[in-house]
Amino acid sequence: MADSCKPTMIANNGVMEHEFHLAEIDTDFGERIEYLKRSGYVLLCLFCREDSATRDLFRLTYIFESQENRRIYEMEYETSGDAISIAEKFPTASLYEREITDGFGILFRGSFDTRRLILHAAYPKDFHPLKKSFCNGPVNVREIVPEEELYKFRRLDGKGVYEVAVGPVHAGIIEPGHFRFSVIGEAIFNLETRLYYLHRGIEKLAEGKKPAECLKIAESISGDESVANAVCFCLAAEKIAGIRPSLRAETLRGIALEMERICSLLSDCAGMLTDVAYPVGASRFMALKEECMRMNRKLFGHRFIRDYITIGGVSGDVGSTDLLLLESFADRIGESVKEAYDSAINSSSVIDRLATTGIIRQSLIRPLNLTGPAARSSGSRRDVRTDYPYGIYNHHTPVVPSHDAGDVLSRFMQKAEEIQASARFIKGITGEMPAGEIKTSGPDIYDDGCAFAMVEGARGQNLHYLEIRDGKIWRYKVRTASFTNWLSIEHAVIGNIVPDFPVINKSLNLSYAGNDL
C-alpha cells in the first residue's frame, strides 16, 4: 500500500505533551483502516463531536496507537448522519460506535451490533442527548416499551444449556450491572454484560461550563479515581491554556496519584480474599487501606483527595514535617503489604481458589486494548507513566512489575507488587521534594483550542479530550480504562463455574460509574 495511506502522526513518546492536532483524512478511509489493522495498531478511542449548533455536521475522531514505537495517531471522518463501521477490524470499535449512535444518532454501515449501549430502552426512541439541539434537563422516559425495542441478549441454545441472570441489583453496597451467563452443567461458556444503569450524562453536563467549573465534574466521574481523572482533565486544560505546573506541584500531584492507586489496589486485594472466604487476610489489607485514607485526609484534606487537584497545580502545600511522616509511612505500608501478601500466599485454600481461575489470555490484550493491572498480569508491559510520561513521571520513572499467567492469582500478585512499587515511588519523590509555587495561574478566559490527555489510573489507561470555544467547553470526552477492560471479564469466566464469578470480577475491580458516565 502506498505511504499516502498511512495515518498522520500527532504525537510520540518524546514530545507528546498531550498535544493532538486534528487533521482531515486525505486518502480513502477504508485503505487507511486496512493499513492500520495490517500494521498492528490498537484503537485507543473513537468519539464524535458536533461541528455546529445550527446544522447536523459531525466529526468522528479515531485515536490509534502503534505500541511498537509508542506513537499516537489520529484520523477524522466528517459525516452528516452515517459512517462506515470498523468493528470487524477493531472489535472495541463496536462499543464506541454504539455509544455514538446513542449520543448523536449516527448510524454505522456494516456494524454487527446495533443494540443500544448507554441508553436503556426506557429512553425515547429518537433521543440523542449529545446533540447540541438537546438542552440538558429532565427526560420523559417511557413507562411501556414495545417488545421489539427491548434489549436482546444473545441466546445460545442447545441440549442442557441454561441461563443464570445476576443483577443489576446485587447483594451488597455495590453499583448496578447485569450479567447473563449461559451454562452447561457447571461450566460457563458465555457471559454477556449489560451496564449503563449509572449513566448520568457526564459529558453533556460539562458543555457550556468554564474549565474550572468542569473540574468538579471530572473528579466525580468515579469515586476511587478522583485524582486520576482530575489530573487528566487538568493536563488537557493546561495544554490549551499554555501553562505548566511547577515541579513541586507536579511532585505533589504524583504523591496524590500514587496514594490513590495504593488505596484502590489495597481494596482489590482485600476483596479477592473476602470472596474466597479468607477474612483474616482481607482484614489486614482493609486496615492498611484505612490507614492510607487517614493519611490522605491529613496531607490533602480529604480521604478521597477531592478538591486538591487544580488547573495549574494543587490547592494546598504539604509541609516538611508531614513529608517526613509520609516517608516513614510509605516505608511501613510497603513492608506491611508484603507481610499480608506472604501470609495470604502461604494459605493453601487461597491458592486453590485463585490459581488457574479466570484466565485472561495475552492474545486478547491488543484487540481489546486491555490496560492496567488486568493486562500486566497477562504479560503486558504497558503503563502510561512509562510509555508516555507526564508530570512527575517525566523526572522519575516508576518500576512497573508484570506477570504472565493471567489468572486471578496473577492479578492478586500483580496488585500487591504494584502497591509496594507505588510506596517506594512515593518515598523516593518525597525525599527529593523541590521548592517552588504550588500553582501556576491560568487565563481568565481560555482561547479556542482542543487537547487530548492520557494518564495511568489504578485500573489502567484513562483518556480525556477537551475542546473549548468562546471560553467554554464545547466537547468533553472521557474514556476510562474500565470501558474496554469490561470486555475482559466476558472472556475470563469461560470454562469457570458461576460461584467463581465474584472473585474473578473482584480481581478486575472494574468501575461501573467510570464506564457508564
Side-chain angles (χ1 to χ4, degrees), residues 456-472:
E456 183 74 19
R459 295 180 175 92
Q461 183 189 79
N462 285 12
L463 294 81
H464 289 218
Y465 168 83
L466 183 65
E467 182 174 356
I468 295 176
R469 297 188 187 182
D470 299 323
K472 295 185 178 179

Side-chain angles (χ1 to χ4, degrees), residues 17 42 165 199 230 232 265 275 354 426 436 461 475 480 493 512:
E17 294 294 327
V42 172
H199 177 60
C232 202
L265 297 181
D275 284 345
L354 301 189
I426 289 172
Q461 183 189 79
R475 180 74 170 102
T480 68
V493 300
Y512 296 83

Side-chain angles (χ1 to χ4, degrees), residues 251-268:
T251 305
L252 291 169
R253 280 185 178 181
I255 294 171
L257 283 163
E258 297 303 320
M259 286 294 289
E260 180 178 74
R261 189 184 319 280
I262 288 173
C263 287
S264 179
L265 297 181
L266 283 169
S267 180
D268 293 355

Side-chain angles (χ1 to χ4, degrees), residues 361-417:
R361 301 191 307 277
Q362 187 172 357
S363 60
L364 293 171
I365 293 174
R366 290 173 69 99
L368 301 185
N369 188 33
L370 305 182
T371 62
R376 290 191 287 272
S377 57
S378 293
S380 173
R381 304 295 186 270
R382 297 177 63 204
D383 188 306
V384 180
R385 295 173 297 171
T386 54
D387 293 344
Y388 306 100
Y390 53 93
I392 190 60
Y393 307 112
N394 282 304
H395 308 279
H396 298 268
T397 302
V399 174
V400 181
S402 66
H403 291 268
D404 296 321
D407 57 1
V408 174
L409 178 59
S410 291
R411 291 191 281 279
F412 179 75
M413 295 166 66
Q414 178 70 30
K415 292 184 177 187
E417 290 175 17

Side-chain angles (χ1 to χ4, degrees), residues 37-107:
K37 176 65 175 177
R38 189 174 62 253
S39 301
Y41 285 72
V42 172
L43 179 65
L44 294 188
C45 192
L46 162 58
F47 61 94
C48 180
R49 63 193 207 282
E50 201 165 358
D51 250 12
S52 170
T54 58
R55 59 193 182 102
D56 286 343
L57 183 62
F58 307 93
R59 290 182 183 272
L60 301 177
T61 300
Y62 299 75
I63 307 293
F64 294 93
E65 180 189 21
S66 173
Q67 295 182 352
E68 283 68 27
N69 55 20
R70 295 178 182 176
R71 291 180 176 177
I72 307 294
Y73 298 83
E74 76 78 42
M75 28 189 282
E76 286 195 348
Y77 188 96
E78 186 177 288
T79 178
S80 59
D82 67 349
I84 302 168
S85 173
I86 66 168
E88 288 192 1
K89 299 287 191 300
F90 297 93
T92 57
S94 178
L95 293 177
Y96 294 112
E97 290 170 359
R98 291 166 64 193
E99 180 186 44
I100 291 169
T101 298
D102 284 357
F104 293 92
I106 295 172
L107 302 177

